[in-house]
Amino acid sequence: SHRVMAVEEQHEKSVLGDLFIKQGFFNVAENILLYLDIGSLITSRSVCQTWNYNIREFISRKFLKLEDFALLPAMSHEHKKEHMGGTLDYWEDHELEEMAAKLVCYQVKGFKKGEAKKAVSANLPIPPLWRNKTGKQMWRDKIIRQQLEKAINTGLRQAVLKEMFPAASGLANKAENSIGKFDNNVGYTIKYCGGIHGSANINVAVTQDGGEIVLQNLWITFLGQWVKKRERGISARSVPFFHENEEEVVFKITYMNVSNDKFCKIDMPGYE
């Protein structure tokens, strides 16, 4: 009985292994893997030796590596403590120590504090429905608020993919697989007259000690502003968020970091 079960189990593993070996199944298997979360990928690697090898290779081929966009090594413990963001006096020293120890944070290439060389810009069309309304009216209109939120999130993601990982870089497909949905705080955008502030999930291939390649879930945190001038001497609350003749607005990301904390504010202008 045990021998029969062992033979059946070996047969099942052989059939599953064929998904990566037999012609015609390979692309199907890889497309399926793209839809799995990290936990499911880890579980799948334990199916059999063939799956473990091919999923490791799949991660290496299909996802960005940390060094593709981040500056290594990670920020030092002392730097994190001193630039945690917010009112540092509020925290006791041991609390700052604990927060800094848990946080793993990297500067993003081109966005290093004091040496920023990049600014990712998203150009968005302004529908007639958004025009001639104050920020307060924009916020109270659920349809407009949801449209604005979706447009900014989609536009920022497309801009990051296009400008930071162009086709010539050879990283475009990996970036498409790695970078998830952008989540800008639309309330922040309306309240602060075009400010953008939020995060995006990113899965990266990381080589651990011993050479094992795993997929790690991190967060991009971003900050920026629209490229637009306001009338001086006039309250932002009393003028339209978008005027009648405005057809396009440009939102520009001016700061980024990547970390294991969705709400990381290290080195973020305005939070230090």
Side-chain angles (χ1 to χ4, degrees):
S1 175
H2 291 294
R3 183 178 180 182
V4 171
M5 290 177 64
V7 171
E8 289 178 346
E9 183 180 353
Q10 187 63 36
H11 174 69
E12 289 176 0
K13 289 183 177 180
S14 176
V15 172
L16 290 170
D18 285 347
L19 286 173
F20 286 103
I21 298 173
K22 287 189 175 180
Q23 189 174 7
F25 285 131
F26 184 80
N27 290 336
V28 174
E30 289 213 329
N31 286 334
I32 292 172
L33 293 178
L34 283 173
Y35 287 95
L36 299 183
D37 57 27
I38 292 178
S40 299
L41 278 176
I42 292 172
T43 302
S44 298
R45 292 183 67 167
S46 65
V47 170
C48 62
Q49 187 174 356
T50 302
W51 273 52
N52 181 46
Y53 172 80
N54 282 284
I55 290 176
R56 183 183 65 192
E57 294 300 304
F58 162 80
I59 291 172
S60 181
R61 286 196 315 274
K62 294 292 185 178
F63 293 89
L64 292 171
K65 296 185 175 82
L66 194 57
E67 55 266 32
D68 288 333
F69 63 94
L71 294 172
L72 304 183
M75 295 180 187
S76 69
H77 183 79
E78 289 304 315
H79 183 90
K80 289 182 291 183
K81 274 184 62 179
E82 295 171 7
H83 301 84
M84 189 65 68
T87 307
L88 296 183
D89 291 341
Y90 176 82
W91 306 102
E92 298 291 340
D93 191 63
H94 73 275
E95 292 175 316
L96 284 174
E97 285 281 350
E98 184 178 351
M99 289 189 291
K102 290 180 179 178
L103 179 67
V104 180
C105 187
Y106 303 85
Q107 293 173 322
V108 175
K109 291 179 179 179
F111 290 90
K112 184 177 180 180
K113 182 185 177 185
E115 301 176 20
K117 299 176 182 178
K118 286 187 179 180
V120 175
S121 299
N123 297 51
L124 308 181
I126 302 172
L129 183 62
W130 298 0
R131 301 172 193 169
N132 280 336
K133 290 180 174 62
T134 64
K136 188 175 183 179
Q137 290 172 322
M138 295 276 289
W139 176 254
R140 288 186 171 181
D141 190 316
K142 184 178 179 180
I143 294 176
I144 293 177
R145 190 171 73 244
Q146 290 177 340
Q147 288 179 348
L148 179 64
E149 180 178 36
K150 182 178 180 180
I152 293 175
N153 288 337
T154 302
L156 291 178
R157 183 177 185 273
Q158 291 175 345
V160 166
L161 291 174
K162 181 180 179 180
E163 297 185 29
M164 293 182 65
F165 306 98
S169 70
L171 299 173
N173 290 334
K174 289 185 176 184
E176 179 70 40
N177 295 332
S178 291
I179 300 175
K181 177 186 174 183
F182 271 62
D183 184 17
N184 174 65
N185 184 342
V186 71
Y188 180 97
T189 301
I190 294 175
K191 180 178 180 180
Y192 294 104
C193 301
I196 51 173
H197 178 28
S199 60
N201 178 255
I202 181 168
N203 292 324
V204 295
V206 177
T207 303
Q208 297 182 322
D209 294 339
E212 185 70 9
I213 299 174
V214 298
L215 201 59
Q216 185 175 356
N217 177 238
L218 296 173
W219 296 93
I220 294 171
T221 308
F222 62 87
L223 186 74
Q225 182 75 26
W226 65 14
V227 183
K228 184 175 175 178
K229 292 182 179 179
R230 280 291 186 192
E231 294 89 341
R232 291 186 177 180
I234 301 177
S235 170
R237 295 183 179 182
S238 64
V239 298
F241 202 73
F242 298 115
H243 291 288
E244 179 63 35
N245 61 347
E246 287 186 271
E247 297 183 354
E248 184 180 74
V249 61
V250 179
F251 287 98
K252 182 177 289 188
I253 296 176
T254 54
Y255 175 79
M256 273 190 202
N257 65 43
V258 60
S259 74
N260 60 350
D261 180 4
K262 183 178 181 179
F263 304 102
C264 177
K265 297 181 177 65
I266 295 286
D267 286 342
M268 190 167 285
Y271 285 92
E272 292 190 280

